[in-house]
């Protein structure tokens, strides 16, 4: 069974650093991209970026480039989302998700998040 | 970035109703369009990928259609467990942007 298990809730102060994790199991972790999605309180989903654990190739949304770092340690099947200096506006739920590549009809270039972690709530407040 | 716009933003309906949610892309995205369902306090769940392909285990009352810039998610006969928020997502080009969501509420 594919599972993504995220680290627990975090409460931090502005300016502090943070690294949250997402551990995959039940599949070949190195061969699937993993993505991160932000959901601010009461708001919609925002695509932050994806990483390929096999070689750490990473793609960021321009909205998040330079604001966060996406990492992976393939030896322990874990992806990370890291901040060097948190802001109050980083308060949100953060989800990791497995990025699958599949076929829809004759087109085998469909991409989608097929399995999701349970989410990590991050609160940044002074 | 490709902008995704869903309509309506919210919708009230009754059990047994047929419901359609629309998603429009700011440029053509071929059929690289996914639909997710999210219930309060839960992670999103994939329903439809590639505009019209069912994810395993999704009830057949859900269907997706469209290509290019205009897409629809249809629920043929609403069940109590379908009241949730629905999001579309394009995967034609990164960033793989989501629509703003459609909240489906009980009338």
């Amino acid at each position: 069974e594919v599972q993504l298990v995220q680290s627990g809730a975090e409460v931090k102060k502005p300016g502090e650093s943070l690294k949250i994790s997402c551990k995959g199991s039940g599949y070949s972790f190195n061969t699937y991209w993993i993505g991160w999605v932000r959901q601010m309180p009461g708001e919609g989903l925002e695509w932050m970026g994806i990483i390929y654990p096999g070689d750490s190739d990473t793609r960021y949304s321009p909205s998040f480039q330079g604001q966060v770092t996406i990492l992976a340690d393939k030896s322990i099947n874990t992806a990370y989302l890291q901040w060097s200096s948190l802001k109050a506006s980083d308060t949100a739920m953060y989800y990791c998700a497995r990025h699958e590549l599949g076929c829809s009809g004759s087109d085998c270039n469909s991409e989608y998040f097929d399995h999701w972690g349970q989410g990590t709530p991050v609160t940044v407040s002074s | 970035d490709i902008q995704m716009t869903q309509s309506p933003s919210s919708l009230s309906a009754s059990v047994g109703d047929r419901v359609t949610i629309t998603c429009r892309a700011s440029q053509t995205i071929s059929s690289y369009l996914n639909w997710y369902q999210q219930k309060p306090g839960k992670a999103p769940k994939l329903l439809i990928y590639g505009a019209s392909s069912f994810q395993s285990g999704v009830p057949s009352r859900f269907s997706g259609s469209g290509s290019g810039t205009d897409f629809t998610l249809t629920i043929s006969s609403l069940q109590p467990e379908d009241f949730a928020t629905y999001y579309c997502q394009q995967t034609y080009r990164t960033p793989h942007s989501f629509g703003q969501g459609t909240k489906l509420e009980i009338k």
Side-chain angles (χ1 to χ4, degrees), chain A residues 64-87:
Chain A
F64 292 94
Q65 179 90 46
Q67 307 305 307
V68 296
T69 303
I70 295 173
L71 306 159
D73 184 341
K74 62 184 179 181
S75 69
I76 55 171
N77 290 0
T78 302
Y80 301 94
L81 182 63
Q82 178 175 281
W83 294 260
S84 58
S85 180
L86 286 159
K87 308 179 188 66

PDB file of all heavy atoms in Angstrom, chain A residues 64-87:
ATOM      1  N   PHE A  64       6.990  30.546  -5.321  1.00  0.00           N
ATOM      2  CA  PHE A  64       7.665  29.987  -4.150  1.00  0.00           C
ATOM      3  C   PHE A  64       9.186  29.895  -4.320  1.00  0.00           C
ATOM      4  O   PHE A  64       9.892  29.643  -3.338  1.00  0.00           O
ATOM      5  CB  PHE A  64       7.096  28.604  -3.835  1.00  0.00           C
ATOM      6  CG  PHE A  64       5.677  28.651  -3.352  1.00  0.00           C
ATOM      7  CD1 PHE A  64       4.622  28.494  -4.238  1.00  0.00           C
ATOM      8  CD2 PHE A  64       5.386  28.885  -2.014  1.00  0.00           C
ATOM      9  CE1 PHE A  64       3.306  28.561  -3.802  1.00  0.00           C
ATOM     10  CE2 PHE A  64       4.079  28.949  -1.570  1.00  0.00           C
ATOM     11  CZ  PHE A  64       3.031  28.791  -2.466  1.00  0.00           C
ATOM     12  N   GLN A  65       9.671  30.100  -5.535  1.00  0.00           N
ATOM     13  CA  GLN A  65      11.123  30.072  -5.785  1.00  0.00           C
ATOM     14  C   GLN A  65      11.817  31.087  -4.882  1.00  0.00           C
ATOM     15  O   GLN A  65      11.414  32.254  -4.820  1.00  0.00           O
ATOM     16  CB  GLN A  65      11.391  30.425  -7.254  1.00  0.00           C
ATOM     17  CG  GLN A  65      12.855  30.456  -7.644  1.00  0.00           C
ATOM     18  CD  GLN A  65      13.350  29.111  -8.122  1.00  0.00           C
ATOM     19  OE1 GLN A  65      12.705  28.454  -8.919  1.00  0.00           O
ATOM     20  NE2 GLN A  65      14.511  28.698  -7.628  1.00  0.00           N
ATOM     21  N   GLY A  66      12.851  30.655  -4.169  1.00  0.00           N
ATOM     22  CA  GLY A  66      13.571  31.554  -3.273  1.00  0.00           C
ATOM     23  C   GLY A  66      12.942  31.710  -1.905  1.00  0.00           C
ATOM     24  O   GLY A  66      13.571  32.256  -0.990  1.00  0.00           O
ATOM     25  N   GLN A  67      11.697  31.235  -1.765  1.00  0.00           N
ATOM     26  CA  GLN A  67      11.006  31.347  -0.470  1.00  0.00           C
ATOM     27  C   GLN A  67      11.128  30.063   0.340  1.00  0.00           C
ATOM     28  O   GLN A  67      11.103  30.092   1.573  1.00  0.00           O
ATOM     29  CB  GLN A  67       9.525  31.670  -0.689  1.00  0.00           C
ATOM     30  CG  GLN A  67       9.259  32.867  -1.578  1.00  0.00           C
ATOM     31  CD  GLN A  67       9.957  34.121  -1.088  1.00  0.00           C
ATOM     32  OE1 GLN A  67       9.816  34.510   0.067  1.00  0.00           O
ATOM     33  NE2 GLN A  67      10.734  34.769  -1.958  1.00  0.00           N
ATOM     34  N   VAL A  68      11.211  28.938  -0.346  1.00  0.00           N
ATOM     35  CA  VAL A  68      11.335  27.629   0.288  1.00  0.00           C
ATOM     36  C   VAL A  68      12.362  26.805  -0.488  1.00  0.00           C
ATOM     37  O   VAL A  68      12.715  27.151  -1.626  1.00  0.00           O
ATOM     38  CB  VAL A  68       9.998  26.869   0.303  1.00  0.00           C
ATOM     39  CG1 VAL A  68       8.962  27.596   1.142  1.00  0.00           C
ATOM     40  CG2 VAL A  68       9.484  26.614  -1.107  1.00  0.00           C
ATOM     41  N   THR A  69      12.799  25.720   0.145  1.00  0.00           N
ATOM     42  CA  THR A  69      13.692  24.759  -0.507  1.00  0.00           C
ATOM     43  C   THR A  69      13.066  23.379  -0.392  1.00  0.00           C
ATOM     44  O   THR A  69      12.630  22.983   0.695  1.00  0.00           O
ATOM     45  CB  THR A  69      15.076  24.758   0.141  1.00  0.00           C
ATOM     46  OG1 THR A  69      15.620  26.071   0.105  1.00  0.00           O
ATOM     47  CG2 THR A  69      16.018  23.801  -0.591  1.00  0.00           C
ATOM     48  N   ILE A  70      13.001  22.697  -1.518  1.00  0.00           N
ATOM     49  CA  ILE A  70      12.496  21.321  -1.551  1.00  0.00           C
ATOM     50  C   ILE A  70      13.695  20.388  -1.681  1.00  0.00           C
ATOM     51  O   ILE A  70      14.565  20.595  -2.546  1.00  0.00           O
ATOM     52  CB  ILE A  70      11.517  21.134  -2.722  1.00  0.00           C
ATOM     53  CG1 ILE A  70      10.273  22.005  -2.507  1.00  0.00           C
ATOM     54  CG2 ILE A  70      11.128  19.674  -2.869  1.00  0.00           C
ATOM     55  CD1 ILE A  70       9.319  22.026  -3.696  1.00  0.00           C
ATOM     56  N   LEU A  71      13.742  19.402  -0.801  1.00  0.00           N
ATOM     57  CA  LEU A  71      14.866  18.476  -0.732  1.00  0.00           C
ATOM     58  C   LEU A  71      14.348  17.044  -0.698  1.00  0.00           C
ATOM     59  O   LEU A  71      13.170  16.809  -0.397  1.00  0.00           O
ATOM     60  CB  LEU A  71      15.665  18.729   0.558  1.00  0.00           C
ATOM     61  CG  LEU A  71      16.164  20.152   0.808  1.00  0.00           C
ATOM     62  CD1 LEU A  71      16.455  20.346   2.279  1.00  0.00           C
ATOM     63  CD2 LEU A  71      17.408  20.401  -0.024  1.00  0.00           C
ATOM     64  N   ALA A  72      15.251  16.094  -0.935  1.00  0.00           N
ATOM     65  CA  ALA A  72      14.903  14.688  -0.770  1.00  0.00           C
ATOM     66  C   ALA A  72      16.131  13.908  -0.354  1.00  0.00           C
ATOM     67  O   ALA A  72      17.248  14.216  -0.787  1.00  0.00           O
ATOM     68  CB  ALA A  72      14.317  14.127  -2.069  1.00  0.00           C
ATOM     69  N   ASP A  73      15.909  12.895   0.482  1.00  0.00           N
ATOM     70  CA  ASP A  73      16.970  11.956   0.866  1.00  0.00           C
ATOM     71  C   ASP A  73      16.484  10.573   0.454  1.00  0.00           C
ATOM     72  O   ASP A  73      15.658   9.963   1.146  1.00  0.00           O
ATOM     73  CB  ASP A  73      17.217  12.043   2.366  1.00  0.00           C
ATOM     74  CG  ASP A  73      18.383  11.166   2.811  1.00  0.00           C
ATOM     75  OD1 ASP A  73      18.757  10.236   2.059  1.00  0.00           O
ATOM     76  OD2 ASP A  73      18.915  11.390   3.900  1.00  0.00           O
ATOM     77  N   LYS A  74      16.955  10.108  -0.687  1.00  0.00           N
ATOM     78  CA  LYS A  74      16.448   8.845  -1.217  1.00  0.00           C
ATOM     79  C   LYS A  74      16.855   7.656  -0.350  1.00  0.00           C
ATOM     80  O   LYS A  74      16.196   6.620  -0.400  1.00  0.00           O
ATOM     81  CB  LYS A  74      16.899   8.642  -2.658  1.00  0.00           C
ATOM     82  CG  LYS A  74      18.395   8.546  -2.862  1.00  0.00           C
ATOM     83  CD  LYS A  74      18.708   8.444  -4.339  1.00  0.00           C
ATOM     84  CE  LYS A  74      20.208   8.363  -4.586  1.00  0.00           C
ATOM     85  NZ  LYS A  74      20.544   8.292  -6.032  1.00  0.00           N
ATOM     86  N   SER A  75      17.897   7.808   0.459  1.00  0.00           N
ATOM     87  CA  SER A  75      18.338   6.685   1.286  1.00  0.00           C
ATOM     88  C   SER A  75      17.332   6.349   2.380  1.00  0.00           C
ATOM     89  O   SER A  75      17.317   5.234   2.901  1.00  0.00           O
ATOM     90  CB  SER A  75      19.708   6.979   1.905  1.00  0.00           C
ATOM     91  OG  SER A  75      19.611   7.998   2.884  1.00  0.00           O
ATOM     92  N   ILE A  76      16.505   7.329   2.731  1.00  0.00           N
ATOM     93  CA  ILE A  76      15.492   7.091   3.772  1.00  0.00           C
ATOM     94  C   ILE A  76      14.084   7.416   3.261  1.00  0.00           C
ATOM     95  O   ILE A  76      13.163   7.647   4.036  1.00  0.00           O
ATOM     96  CB  ILE A  76      15.802   7.891   5.063  1.00  0.00           C
ATOM     97  CG1 ILE A  76      15.950   9.389   4.775  1.00  0.00           C
ATOM     98  CG2 ILE A  76      17.032   7.343   5.754  1.00  0.00           C
ATOM     99  CD1 ILE A  76      16.040  10.239   6.040  1.00  0.00           C
ATOM    100  N   ASN A  77      13.930   7.451   1.938  1.00  0.00           N
ATOM    101  CA  ASN A  77      12.607   7.613   1.307  1.00  0.00           C
ATOM    102  C   ASN A  77      11.844   8.828   1.841  1.00  0.00           C
ATOM    103  O   ASN A  77      10.633   8.756   2.095  1.00  0.00           O
ATOM    104  CB  ASN A  77      11.750   6.352   1.504  1.00  0.00           C
ATOM    105  CG  ASN A  77      12.249   5.176   0.715  1.00  0.00           C
ATOM    106  OD1 ASN A  77      13.248   5.260   0.000  1.00  0.00           O
ATOM    107  ND2 ASN A  77      11.577   4.049   0.829  1.00  0.00           N
ATOM    108  N   THR A  78      12.532   9.938   1.994  1.00  0.00           N
ATOM    109  CA  THR A  78      11.920  11.101   2.624  1.00  0.00           C
ATOM    110  C   THR A  78      12.172  12.373   1.806  1.00  0.00           C
ATOM    111  O   THR A  78      13.293  12.622   1.368  1.00  0.00           O
ATOM    112  CB  THR A  78      12.446  11.293   4.057  1.00  0.00           C
ATOM    113  OG1 THR A  78      12.175  10.104   4.814  1.00  0.00           O
ATOM    114  CG2 THR A  78      11.783  12.473   4.738  1.00  0.00           C
ATOM    115  N   ALA A  79      11.105  13.137   1.635  1.00  0.00           N
ATOM    116  CA  ALA A  79      11.192  14.461   1.023  1.00  0.00           C
ATOM    117  C   ALA A  79      10.979  15.514   2.109  1.00  0.00           C
ATOM    118  O   ALA A  79      10.348  15.242   3.144  1.00  0.00           O
ATOM    119  CB  ALA A  79      10.159  14.615  -0.081  1.00  0.00           C
ATOM    120  N   TYR A  80      11.510  16.698   1.842  1.00  0.00           N
ATOM    121  CA  TYR A  80      11.444  17.768   2.831  1.00  0.00           C
ATOM    122  C   TYR A  80      11.026  19.082   2.186  1.00  0.00           C
ATOM    123  O   TYR A  80      11.284  19.334   1.005  1.00  0.00           O
ATOM    124  CB  TYR A  80      12.821  17.980   3.471  1.00  0.00           C
ATOM    125  CG  TYR A  80      13.407  16.782   4.158  1.00  0.00           C
ATOM    126  CD1 TYR A  80      14.287  15.929   3.489  1.00  0.00           C
ATOM    127  CD2 TYR A  80      13.087  16.485   5.481  1.00  0.00           C
ATOM    128  CE1 TYR A  80      14.824  14.826   4.105  1.00  0.00           C
ATOM    129  CE2 TYR A  80      13.631  15.384   6.115  1.00  0.00           C
ATOM    130  CZ  TYR A  80      14.502  14.555   5.422  1.00  0.00           C
ATOM    131  OH  TYR A  80      15.041  13.456   6.049  1.00  0.00           O
ATOM    132  N   LEU A  81      10.439  19.931   3.020  1.00  0.00           N
ATOM    133  CA  LEU A  81      10.151  21.315   2.654  1.00  0.00           C
ATOM    134  C   LEU A  81      10.782  22.176   3.744  1.00  0.00           C
ATOM    135  O   LEU A  81      10.490  21.973   4.930  1.00  0.00           O
ATOM    136  CB  LEU A  81       8.642  21.526   2.572  1.00  0.00           C
ATOM    137  CG  LEU A  81       8.138  22.900   2.148  1.00  0.00           C
ATOM    138  CD1 LEU A  81       8.595  23.235   0.724  1.00  0.00           C
ATOM    139  CD2 LEU A  81       6.616  22.946   2.233  1.00  0.00           C
ATOM    140  N   GLN A  82      11.615  23.106   3.327  1.00  0.00           N
ATOM    141  CA  GLN A  82      12.439  23.844   4.280  1.00  0.00           C
ATOM    142  C   GLN A  82      12.303  25.353   4.096  1.00  0.00           C
ATOM    143  O   GLN A  82      12.223  25.846   2.974  1.00  0.00           O
ATOM    144  CB  GLN A  82      13.901  23.431   4.053  1.00  0.00           C
ATOM    145  CG  GLN A  82      14.921  24.104   4.909  1.00  0.00           C
ATOM    146  CD  GLN A  82      16.300  23.510   4.670  1.00  0.00           C
ATOM    147  OE1 GLN A  82      16.649  22.444   5.181  1.00  0.00           O
ATOM    148  NE2 GLN A  82      17.093  24.192   3.868  1.00  0.00           N
ATOM    149  N   TRP A  83      12.272  26.048   5.228  1.00  0.00           N
ATOM    150  CA  TRP A  83      12.290  27.516   5.248  1.00  0.00           C
ATOM    151  C   TRP A  83      13.509  27.966   6.057  1.00  0.00           C
ATOM    152  O   TRP A  83      13.787  27.405   7.125  1.00  0.00           O
ATOM    153  CB  TRP A  83      11.062  28.090   5.944  1.00  0.00           C
ATOM    154  CG  TRP A  83       9.755  27.875   5.279  1.00  0.00           C
ATOM    155  CD1 TRP A  83       9.065  28.769   4.511  1.00  0.00           C
ATOM    156  CD2 TRP A  83       8.909  26.716   5.361  1.00  0.00           C
ATOM    157  NE1 TRP A  83       7.860  28.243   4.098  1.00  0.00           N
ATOM    158  CE2 TRP A  83       7.741  26.984   4.617  1.00  0.00           C
ATOM    159  CE3 TRP A  83       9.024  25.473   5.995  1.00  0.00           C
ATOM    160  CZ2 TRP A  83       6.696  26.069   4.470  1.00  0.00           C
ATOM    161  CZ3 TRP A  83       8.001  24.560   5.860  1.00  0.00           C
ATOM    162  CH2 TRP A  83       6.847  24.849   5.105  1.00  0.00           C
ATOM    163  N   SER A  84      14.157  29.022   5.620  1.00  0.00           N
ATOM    164  CA  SER A  84      15.287  29.553   6.387  1.00  0.00           C
ATOM    165  C   SER A  84      14.837  30.673   7.332  1.00  0.00           C
ATOM    166  O   SER A  84      15.470  30.910   8.367  1.00  0.00           O
ATOM    167  CB  SER A  84      16.378  30.079   5.449  1.00  0.00           C
ATOM    168  OG  SER A  84      15.849  31.090   4.608  1.00  0.00           O
ATOM    169  N   SER A  85      13.764  31.357   6.976  1.00  0.00           N
ATOM    170  CA  SER A  85      13.281  32.453   7.809  1.00  0.00           C
ATOM    171  C   SER A  85      11.770  32.581   7.606  1.00  0.00           C
ATOM    172  O   SER A  85      11.310  33.137   6.611  1.00  0.00           O
ATOM    173  CB  SER A  85      13.981  33.764   7.440  1.00  0.00           C
ATOM    174  OG  SER A  85      13.517  34.823   8.250  1.00  0.00           O
ATOM    175  N   LEU A  86      11.015  32.050   8.544  1.00  0.00           N
ATOM    176  CA  LEU A  86       9.564  32.009   8.404  1.00  0.00           C
ATOM    177  C   LEU A  86       8.924  33.385   8.561  1.00  0.00           C
ATOM    178  O   LEU A  86       9.445  34.258   9.276  1.00  0.00           O
ATOM    179  CB  LEU A  86       8.975  31.067   9.455  1.00  0.00           C
ATOM    180  CG  LEU A  86       9.187  29.581   9.195  1.00  0.00           C
ATOM    181  CD1 LEU A  86       9.031  28.802  10.492  1.00  0.00           C
ATOM    182  CD2 LEU A  86       8.232  29.068   8.138  1.00  0.00           C
ATOM    183  N   LYS A  87       7.785  33.546   7.892  1.00  0.00           N
ATOM    184  CA  LYS A  87       6.960  34.748   8.021  1.00  0.00           C
ATOM    185  C   LYS A  87       5.584  34.316   8.510  1.00  0.00           C
ATOM    186  O   LYS A  87       5.178  33.163   8.339  1.00  0.00           O
ATOM    187  CB  LYS A  87       6.806  35.452   6.678  1.00  0.00           C
ATOM    188  CG  LYS A  87       8.080  35.749   5.932  1.00  0.00           C
ATOM    189  CD  LYS A  87       7.749  36.427   4.617  1.00  0.00           C
ATOM    190  CE  LYS A  87       8.936  36.593   3.709  1.00  0.00           C
ATOM    191  NZ  LYS A  87       9.478  35.314   3.224  1.00  0.00           N
TER     192      LYS A  87
END
